[in-house]
Amino acid sequence: MGGTVLWAIAAEIFIFESMNLITWLADFSRGHCVGICAALVPSILLCTTICAVLIALDRPRWSVNTTYFATLAACGVMVLHVASWFSIGVITPVTFILLGLSLSCGSLATLFWRCSPQWQEFCHSGLREIIKAKWPQTLKI
């Protein structure tokens, strides 16, 4: 019985502390909005452009993946930053523009990444192997 109470108290403390951390992060995000946006907007645009260029030049998969995930990380941070403003009721054109920028650049980078030659080759070879394993006599590849 005593152990259950201790676990319940520990869970309450963890929830309370994590809520304090979320509140602190949201306050930090709103307090340093100009600096965060000044860093994230060029980062999102630059990472998306670099991702597209690396795919167009048919660079190695690891470099494309690195820039793709950097783009997604920057877009995710921007979405969380805008969400911190939405949570206190600040609804302005700037918040929608920043949200649209991050979502469109993230979607565009995902589209580029999914349509890259390496991805297409991986999908087709993997699908071909699965088909050959399931129906070896019906498909002659």
Side-chain angles (χ1 to χ4, degrees):
M1 179 78 179
T4 306
V5 172
L6 289 176
W7 278 109
I9 292 171
E12 286 292 323
I13 290 172
F14 175 74
I15 291 171
F16 179 73
E17 289 299 320
S18 62
M19 289 304 293
N20 282 341
L21 177 64
I22 292 171
T23 303
W24 180 83
L25 283 173
D27 289 339
F28 179 83
S29 174
R30 290 188 297 267
H32 300 310
C33 181
V34 173
I36 290 171
C37 290
L40 283 179
V41 169
S43 298
I44 290 171
L45 294 172
L46 189 64
C47 286
T48 305
T49 305
I50 291 172
C51 186
V53 167
L54 289 177
I55 289 170
L57 295 176
D58 199 22
R59 301 308 296 168
R61 189 73 187 156
W62 65 268
S63 62
V64 172
N65 285 346
T66 303
T67 57
Y68 172 66
F69 290 120
T71 303
L72 289 186
C75 291
V77 170
M78 180 62 84
V79 167
L80 291 174
H81 174 65
V82 170
S84 75
W85 283 104
F86 283 155
S87 69
I88 62 168
V90 175
I91 311 293
T92 63
V94 174
T95 54
F96 287 109
I97 290 169
L98 291 173
L99 185 63
L101 172 78
S102 62
L103 293 178
S104 62
C105 284
S107 300
L108 194 62
T110 301
L111 179 69
F112 291 153
W113 185 69
R114 292 291 305 263
C115 294
S116 67
Q118 298 103 342
W119 178 259
Q120 296 294 329
E121 180 182 326
F122 171 74
C123 288
H124 293 310
S125 66
L127 184 60
R128 188 177 307 144
E129 295 302 318
I130 291 171
I131 291 171
K132 282 171 68 174
K134 288 194 181 239
W135 301 286
Q137 67 276 12
T138 60
L139 188 62
K140 295 190 174 33
I141 297 177

